[in-house]
Amino acid sequence: MGLRGRAALARAVEKRLRRLPGVLFVRSSELTGSTLIEFQQPLTSARLMQALEAAVAEEPVFDVGEGASLTPENAAHAEAIDALAARLETDLGRGLTTEDASERLQKWGRNELRRAEPRSAAIVFAEQLTSLPIVLLGASAVVSLATGGVADAVMIAAVVLINAGIAAATERQADRTISGLASEELSDAAVVRDGARLRIDARDLAPGDLLLIERGVFVPADARLIASDDLTVNESPLTGEAQPAPKEAKIVLAPDTGVSDRRNMVFRGTAVTGGSGVAIITAIGAQTEIGRVQQLLGALQRPQTPIQRELGDVERELVIVNGAICACVFALGLLRGHGLIPTLRSAISLAVAAIPEGLPAVATTTLALGVQDMRKRKVLVRKIDAVETLGAIETIGLDKTGTLTENRMAAVRVHVDNGAFELQEGRLLRDGVDADAATIAIARRLFEAATLCSDAAVAPAAKGWEIDGTPTETALVQAGVAMGVDPIALRRSAPMATCVARGEGRKRMSTLHEATGGARILCVKGDPIEVLARCATRSTADGAAPLDRPARTAILKANERMAGDALRVLGVAIGEAGGDPRDEHDLVWLGLAGIANPIRASVGPALKQLHRAGVRTVMITGDQSATAFAIARRLDLNHGGELRVLEAGQMAKMQPQMLEALARQPHVFARVSPVDKLNIVKALQGHGHIVAMTGDGVNDGPALRAADVGIAMGGEGADVARQVADIVLATDDMDGIVEAIRLGRATYANIRKVLRYLVSTNASETIAMLGAALVGGEPLTPMQLLWLNLATDALPAIALGLEPPEPDVLDRPPHDPKAPILAASDFRRILREGSVMGVAALIGYFSLGGAAGARASTVTFHGLTCGQLLHSLACRSELRGLSSEVGRPPNSTLYGAVGATLLLQAGVQLFPLTRRLLGLSPLGAGDLLRIGAIALGSSLANDIIGRIADREEAPPRGNGESHVA
């Protein structure tokens, strides 16, 4: 590989060559791929070429700062913990001292990734000059100079600079928008320094720091584990594998173990999905694995989006087709005896006007404009590809908690001692009557156990308690407080010794507590069936009673009844004599807690809108089937038909192919784990279907990463969910999902509208020139063609990219992601519209005698220009023509662009200098009427012909039949 497009390698080559004796100056360009070297003897050209080839072949080396290189991370996984700690001079118990950390921070620099430098304005502008249309313009200028046409050459140069300037300005703005999407956000990190636990700015981490790893955080640096407790990490940013990877501190691996198999390491940018651990930081900043990947990516040009690649293909096809047409015009001109040079200039100018330059840049600009518009509407796009994909979403997996339901829960019912009771403001009621003291004591013990078996933080507040935890944990602690439980005093009396959290294959949480007098208490809460299976007795008003078959059956039926009332049900048990939190048995069953999770008010209307838009909605939840069924029935997920629920237990027994085949049937997936969510997303993606997934928690991270579009509910969601998602909504309201899809479809439609406008208007110029060449004549001079290209392409096209969504954009099915952006029917429509405009211009031209004088050319020039500007208004609608302006919300940007272009057009006619340059003649009242007739006549004709054609063929590509099964 050479230097072109590889900025990092170019800088590395410069650095290496400067070390050679005799080198006075060296400069490498990633733009041109060349290297300029000034040298003196004894260095020879042959020796210099050898050094240059070696420097280019060598991989670039990236330093993290001044001084020696950082401790090699790639050896850490192969070292014993004690040896690594000794090498890094770290105390495994107390961590670094504050002084050591400060010295290392100054030596190695901050824990930051280098930002990729954006392309300079000069580079972006220079790139515009290398496109084929600009090269053709340059060729036209050379021909003009060679034939003495200095004024023509100056005009062409002005066209080149203005065209390139507009393109460079819009592309620079798009670059800034896209670069802003990938901004990295590092939060605080928990470390041990001087023997104390601290939270510090993650950018101030140093090699050798003891890093505390917790569920739900991003790993801020590469580190070697020294302790782990059921730790799992989502390493998809590095490995591409969304399934959480288990970690183990005690093992020592071979030196050549790959990154994805280093089970004793954690890496920067990965998300902790379960468990906890402690690790020694071994690499920071650019020395981390993700930093090395970033450096490699920084040495490459940004890949094009799928639409950009597709439009590049369209542009090449148009070059071939229009090139052949221009060759025909050139040959016909010669056959009719026209001069070689004038005919060549006309053919080159026609080629420039006929080929829409920079179609891929049109996609970039329109997508960037769409991103900015979404941001104004509180829809944050983190990956620009997601804007394209939003419009093609066929299925959306809706995480129940946080998406369909509010992030607010309340314990409203309990089942204890074989009886169901309502919980209202701390009172236990049955049929409006308070429960007896013994039953209240059991319920209170249930909430005491739930408060102990919780990771919700509790602190005193001005009024009551401040509880920081998940909605479920918060609801349980609040219920305990309402029943008189003091959570802080309770936890002080029985501090937590061990915690085993919910995880893959484990739907319960267990905590072991040290009680007064040396006693131990084991508290367990979670899936009722799982917890009940570990119990031997149950708590009753008369003491502990055996859990015989009838008692178990009664509890399971109560669980089903509560779940059927759309409550989230948890079972709670206790081991008064302690026990193993990883292998619980012989527990005492305390009862069931039913938690209400209100459905968001916006969900019902939003789901109806999604269904009208042809988007299939499925609910994915960890709740029991009965709870999920009740909620789905209230939401009418099944459109009034049979409601189908598939449980994770059933999925576990299926082959991936069978799950893929069945995934299109259920409306609800219940009792799912994070891995189940991931497998469901992959199954829904079968046969190329486009799937979106919503979520707000750590457990949603893998599925959000694997989905075609991951949508994080940003109001109260976890950082992990927000940072792995493609789209982040500023609120947790489902209206945001509908708005994101609406804007995504609008952006895709706007790209199609811009293409329709550019290709059809340029086709009109080709039709006019080819038609006149066949009959004999030249309706537009080379300078007029160049002006048309400049005046009518740029401003209206950019303004069409800002077109607001059409009112019925969500009443159509999603577009087929496998179909081209312009189908055969679109090209027929574009050719038809271009032909009508071109023929109208020819009628105006020949009605004034054609080649008899400049007057005919002037009328044709203005008529075609005004017709193209009117056509930009017709392109606002994909279904209707110019008549769509009636009653339609205005596009002030487009109106401004059209008005500005008309003023420019009037200016070139009024000023003698520009009139002479463009070969225009004065206009009379009759000429103005003819110009209006050409413009308005072509627009009305296109409206009428379009309506007739639409009755005879399928609607345009963007509004075709749904391909959703």
Side-chain angles (χ1 to χ4, degrees), residues 139-210:
S140 180
V142 170
V143 172
S144 296
L145 280 174
T147 56
V150 177
D152 285 1
V154 171
M155 179 63 177
I156 293 172
V159 170
V160 169
L161 294 175
I162 294 173
N163 230 334
I166 293 174
T170 55
E171 195 165 331
R172 278 275 288 171
Q173 179 60 41
D175 272 357
R176 285 192 288 268
T177 299
I178 296 169
S179 298
L181 304 183
S183 60
E184 187 197 36
E185 299 176 5
L186 273 184
S187 56
D188 293 344
V191 297
V192 175
R193 285 185 181 174
D194 295 314
R197 175 179 174 135
L198 304 172
R199 293 205 71 86
I200 64 171
D201 188 331
R203 293 172 295 180
D204 293 335
L205 291 171
D209 258 324
L210 282 188

Side-chain angles (χ1 to χ4, degrees), residues 545-586:
L547 254 179
D548 51 20
R549 184 182 295 275
R552 291 180 185 273
T553 301
I555 292 171
L556 293 176
K557 286 183 177 179
N559 173 44
E560 291 177 2
R561 284 193 299 271
M562 292 170 71
D565 289 335
L567 298 180
R568 182 171 190 184
V569 189
L570 295 178
V572 183
I574 194 168
E576 299 286 2
D580 185 352
R582 291 179 176 80
D583 183 22
E584 315 90 328
H585 55 82
D586 295 332

Side-chain angles (χ1 to χ4, degrees), residues 933-964:
I934 292 172
L936 192 57
S938 61
S939 297
L940 293 176
N942 268 325
D943 259 19
I944 296 169
I945 296 172
R947 290 175 185 275
I948 295 172
D950 287 342
R951 293 194 189 102
E952 298 176 355
E953 63 179 30
R957 160 66 187 83
N959 312 292
E961 294 181 358
S962 173
H963 59 286
V964 182

Side-chain angles (χ1 to χ4, degrees), residues 316-390:
R316 284 187 289 273
E317 292 169 2
L318 290 175
V319 167
I320 295 172
V321 172
N322 285 290
I325 293 174
C326 293
C328 291
V329 171
F330 176 70
L332 287 170
L334 292 179
L335 290 174
R336 294 186 179 279
H338 297 162
L340 174 64
I341 298 302
T343 305
L344 179 61
R345 285 177 54 203
S346 294
I348 291 176
S349 299
L350 176 59
V352 174
I355 300 169
E357 63 267 21
L359 287 186
V362 167
T364 306
T365 302
T366 307
L367 289 171
L369 292 172
V371 168
Q372 292 174 358
D373 188 34
M374 289 183 181
R375 185 172 297 168
K376 293 175 185 175
R377 300 168 190 259
K378 299 184 178 181
V379 178
L380 175 63
V381 179
R382 300 188 71 250
K383 298 176 184 176
I384 197 164
D385 289 15
V387 181
E388 300 179 28
T389 316
L390 275 171

Side-chain angles (χ1 to χ4, degrees), residues 844 848 855-864 923 927 930-931 934:
L848 289 172
R855 182 183 171 206
S857 178
T858 302
V859 169
T860 304
F861 169 63
H862 288 301
L864 189 55
L923 295 172
D927 297 326
R930 286 186 177 90
I931 291 170
I934 292 172

Side-chain angles (χ1 to χ4, degrees), residues 296-581:
L296 292 175
L297 293 176
L300 301 172
Q301 292 178 326
R302 182 189 294 117
Q304 292 183 316
T305 68
I307 285 183
Q308 286 176 303
R309 290 192 293 270
E310 188 178 338
L311 294 187
D313 295 338
V314 171
E315 188 175 58
R316 284 187 289 273
E317 292 169 2
L318 290 175
V319 167
I320 295 172
V321 172
N322 285 290
I325 293 174
C326 293
C328 291
V329 171
F330 176 70
L332 287 170
L334 292 179
L335 290 174
R336 294 186 179 279
H338 297 162
L340 174 64
I341 298 302
T343 305
L344 179 61
R345 285 177 54 203
S346 294
I348 291 176
S349 299
L350 176 59
V352 174
I355 300 169
E357 63 267 21
L359 287 186
V362 167
T364 306
T365 302
T366 307
L367 289 171
L369 292 172
V371 168
Q372 292 174 358
D373 188 34
M374 289 183 181
R375 185 172 297 168
K376 293 175 185 175
R377 300 168 190 259
K378 299 184 178 181
V379 178
L380 175 63
V381 179
R382 300 188 71 250
K383 298 176 184 176
I384 197 164
D385 289 15
V387 181
E388 300 179 28
T389 316
L390 275 171
I393 290 174
E394 303 166 86
T395 302
I396 181 166
L398 299 167
D399 178 56
K400 189 209 76 174
T401 304
T403 302
L404 298 176
T405 58
E406 297 180 11
N407 261 326
R408 174 178 60 84
M409 293 185 172
V412 296
R413 194 180 305 174
V414 295
H415 181 274
V416 293
D417 195 11
N418 206 29
F421 298 87
E422 300 297 321
L423 188 62
Q424 296 180 9
E425 298 180 354
R427 297 175 62 193
L428 215 58
L429 304 172
R430 177 186 251 173
D431 298 327
V433 179
D434 287 300
D436 57 55
T439 302
I440 293 174
I442 298 173
R444 178 188 168 98
R445 187 57 172 160
L446 181 153
F447 286 112
E448 286 179 344
T451 300
L452 290 173
C453 186
S454 172
D455 53 13
V458 184
K463 293 183 179 180
W465 306 94
E466 181 180 334
I467 304 171
D468 182 13
T470 65
T472 301
E473 300 283 6
T474 300
L476 292 171
V477 175
Q478 287 174 336
V481 169
M483 296 199 70
V485 176
D486 183 332
I488 293 182
L490 175 66
R491 290 179 174 182
R492 283 175 180 166
S493 67
M496 185 186 299
T498 307
C499 174
V500 181
R502 290 169 58 97
E504 187 58 36
R506 177 187 173 90
K507 296 184 176 67
R508 65 191 186 281
M509 177 180 183
S510 303
T511 55
L512 186 63
H513 301 263
E514 301 284 353
T516 54
R520 289 193 163 195
I521 301 173
L522 179 61
C523 300
V524 182
K525 76 173 192 301
D527 179 82
I529 297 174
E530 212 170 277
V531 176
L532 184 62
R534 286 156 177 78
C535 295
T537 58
R538 61 188 177 92
S539 181
T540 70
D542 299 323
L547 254 179
D548 51 20
R549 184 182 295 275
R552 291 180 185 273
T553 301
I555 292 171
L556 293 176
K557 286 183 177 179
N559 173 44
E560 291 177 2
R561 284 193 299 271
M562 292 170 71
D565 289 335
L567 298 180
R568 182 171 190 184
V569 189
L570 295 178
V572 183
I574 194 168
E576 299 286 2
D580 185 352

